[in-house]
Amino acid sequence: MRQQVLCATLLLVSTLAFVPLDADSNTAVIAVSATVRKNCLISTTPVAYGAYDPIGANATTPLDASGTVVLTCTKGTAASIGLDSGANAQGPTRRMRNGATAYLTYELYQDNAHTIVWTNNGRGMMSIPAAPSKNPRSFTVHGRVAGAQDVPIGSFNDSVVATVNF
């Protein structure tokens, strides 16, 4: 008898195991979002003039050199780059200092023809079109030390702050 009950129970369980169960379900949507902000990173390479010879090569000829401003901006970000007058400026005149009281004047330009002075306001700022990608873009800083300056020997230096507005 026990075996018959056990066999009947196993038969019932095995039959129920193959009976499909109807299940209900619901769905929900998960909203996913992100905001890409405009951003620009700025870096520079120096304008290193090298040797200035006020009685020889630069007695009448200016000394030219160039550096770069590198912008890396979010795709689609337009910007402008400004250069301040430097740490040793006197009014709008940019000057390198030799550590004492002597100065060597110079200027920084946006163009190779040395006609557009690069400043940090108004028309002197360089306007940069929207970035086509996130890849860095380089912009040349054209520097010029005027010839015929009467300066003593020594090393002359200045520091100019480059600013990107976006």
Side-chain angles (χ1 to χ4, degrees):
M1 174 83 162
R2 276 184 119 197
Q3 279 186 330
Q4 288 176 339
V5 171
L6 182 58
C7 285
T9 304
L10 287 175
L11 182 60
L12 179 62
V13 169
S14 65
T15 305
L16 289 177
F18 294 106
V19 175
L21 298 175
D22 291 331
D24 291 332
S25 66
N26 274 322
T27 62
V29 175
I30 298 174
V32 178
S33 66
T35 301
V36 177
R37 295 179 47 221
K38 63 182 179 175
N39 191 16
C40 289
L41 303 177
I42 187 170
S43 62
T44 61
T45 63
V47 177
Y49 289 102
Y52 180 80
D53 182 1
I55 61 169
N58 304 114
T60 58
T61 305
L63 177 62
D64 293 342
S66 62
T68 57
V69 174
V70 180
L71 286 186
T72 305
C73 296
T74 307
K75 183 177 181 176
T77 302
S80 62
I81 304 169
L83 302 180
D84 77 0
S85 295
N88 301 299
Q90 183 174 33
T93 304
R94 287 184 168 121
R95 307 181 307 173
M96 290 179 271
R97 185 174 176 182
N98 73 346
T101 58
Y103 296 93
L104 184 62
T105 63
Y106 70 98
E107 195 53 85
L108 301 175
Y109 300 89
Q110 294 181 26
D111 61 324
N112 194 37
H114 301 98
T115 59
I116 304 170
V117 175
W118 204 331
T119 66
N120 64 351
N121 57 39
R123 296 176 65 199
M125 293 194 65
M126 180 181 275
S127 182
I128 309 299
S133 70
K134 68 175 186 168
N135 294 328
R137 296 180 288 169
S138 295
F139 303 93
T140 303
V141 179
H142 303 276
R144 175 166 279 178
V145 177
Q149 295 187 56
D150 190 10
V151 292
I153 61 172
S155 294
F156 290 78
N157 299 289
D158 195 16
S159 57
V160 174
V161 176
T163 303
V164 59
N165 298 305
F166 53 92

